[in-house]
Amino acid sequence: MLSLIITSLSATAVLVPLVVSVSLVFRVSGVVNFGAGFFCVFAGAACASWGAAGPLLGVVLTLLAGAVLGALTYLVAIVPAQRRGVRVIGLTLSTLGFGLLLSFVTRQWFGGDPSIVQPWIVGSVSIGDFQTAWQRLLVIALALVVLLILYALFDRTLVGRTLTAVSHDRELAEMYGVRSARMQLLAWVVSGVCLMVSGIFQATLASVSVDVAPTLLVLSLVGAVIGGLGSLLGAVGGSLVAGVAMTVTDQFISPGFQLTALFIVLSLVLLFRPAGLFTFRGTAERV
């Protein structure tokens, strides 16, 4: 049982920044970032390569790269298309194109081999009869810290409340002097950093390669829809449900059926709670 809990929490810790990133961008700009998985793969490869001179240096450079890539995605893939009146589906496909370009850059800069970030804490700990790596517990703790930072940013600062205003009614927010384009750019920057965090977490627990990018994209979308697309609280809940579903399938059925189990859960959610498991009436009205 302890094994199931810790493994589920570590899977959730990897998914939370990924799903929050997708939900944040959708909430503010109405676009689903189909390049999310490629961002995570870039993060794992970059942190493994740049961290050779020092783990902290690798993490800092990777997070900065995430902020730059998030801004570039908005400025290159979104803004020009928005000015030409491209519909949302076109904007979404544009993010996929940017992701594929990033995948090419990842292969050219870091090679196509799986990347592994060395654990920041070496060794393992025994909890009862269960033994787990210190790194796994560290990732869970760091994910909690990331959640607290995001909560403080979005719920306790003027910038976060301005982002919320733009997500609710962009035109009304602009009437009150809010520059919605700047808020959207900020959302993409925060989203890019979140994707880097998710990719680094994944690379410290397992290898990351370009081949897993589509799977990470699917996980981010399924988690976001299960929780409630566009809801940051729902993103956390959806990540937890997805993490538990994958772990239970892995331990009691077969790792090869993880995506199948997730899609069964997704189908049930869409059947009985199409707005998402964690999107309540007040939240739905706000979103």
Side-chain angles (χ1 to χ4, degrees), residues 168 228-231 273 275-276 278-287:
H168 289 171
L229 190 59
S231 165
R273 294 272 299 181
F278 302 94
T279 302
F280 304 103
R281 185 175 180 180
T283 307
E285 288 174 351
R286 288 192 305 157
V287 173

Side-chain angles (χ1 to χ4, degrees), residues 74-129:
Y74 175 69
L75 295 174
V76 175
I78 301 300
V79 172
Q82 280 181 331
R83 288 176 177 170
R84 288 170 173 78
V86 175
R87 295 186 177 182
V88 172
I89 183 64
L91 300 178
T92 298
L93 292 177
S94 183
T95 63
L96 176 60
F98 191 91
L100 292 172
L101 179 61
L102 186 59
S103 174
F104 173 77
V105 172
T106 303
R107 287 183 184 276
Q108 293 299 313
W109 284 7
F110 308 112
D113 296 331
S115 303
I116 299 175
V117 175
Q118 295 302 315
W120 299 319
I121 300 181
V122 180
S124 59
V125 58
S126 297
I127 305 174
D129 297 331

Side-chain angles (χ1 to χ4, degrees), residues 1 9 33 41 75 82 114 116 159 202 215 225 265 271:
M1 186 63 182
L9 288 178
N33 183 8
V41 172
L75 295 174
Q82 280 181 331
I116 299 175
V159 171
Q202 176 65 25
T215 302
V225 174
V265 174
L271 183 62

Side-chain angles (χ1 to χ4, degrees), residues 26-193:
F26 178 79
R27 186 180 188 184
V28 176
S29 63
V31 177
V32 177
N33 183 8
F34 267 35
F38 298 103
F39 275 69
C40 293
V41 172
F42 176 88
C47 192
S49 176
W50 296 339
L56 182 59
L57 178 64
V59 171
V60 171
L61 290 178
T62 304
L63 295 181
L64 290 175
V68 173
L69 289 171
L72 280 177
T73 307
Y74 175 69
L75 295 174
V76 175
I78 301 300
V79 172
Q82 280 181 331
R83 288 176 177 170
R84 288 170 173 78
V86 175
R87 295 186 177 182
V88 172
I89 183 64
L91 300 178
T92 298
L93 292 177
S94 183
T95 63
L96 176 60
F98 191 91
L100 292 172
L101 179 61
L102 186 59
S103 174
F104 173 77
V105 172
T106 303
R107 287 183 184 276
Q108 293 299 313
W109 284 7
F110 308 112
D113 296 331
S115 303
I116 299 175
V117 175
Q118 295 302 315
W120 299 319
I121 300 181
V122 180
S124 59
V125 58
S126 297
I127 305 174
D129 297 331
F130 176 65
Q131 188 175 43
T132 186
W134 278 110
Q135 180 65 27
R136 192 174 292 277
L137 299 179
L138 178 62
V139 166
I140 295 172
L142 290 176
L144 186 59
V145 172
V146 170
L147 269 181
L148 292 175
I149 293 174
L150 290 174
Y151 170 76
L153 173 64
F154 293 122
D155 202 68
R156 300 296 178 185
T157 67
L158 180 60
V159 171
R161 290 171 182 171
T162 306
L163 277 171
T164 302
V166 172
S167 67
H168 289 171
D169 193 327
R170 186 185 311 169
E171 293 181 355
L172 182 60
E174 289 178 346
M175 288 177 62
Y176 281 91
V178 174
R179 297 185 177 182
S180 62
R182 288 188 180 182
M183 290 297 106
Q184 289 189 56
L185 174 61
L186 176 62
W188 278 93
V189 168
V190 175
S191 169
V193 173

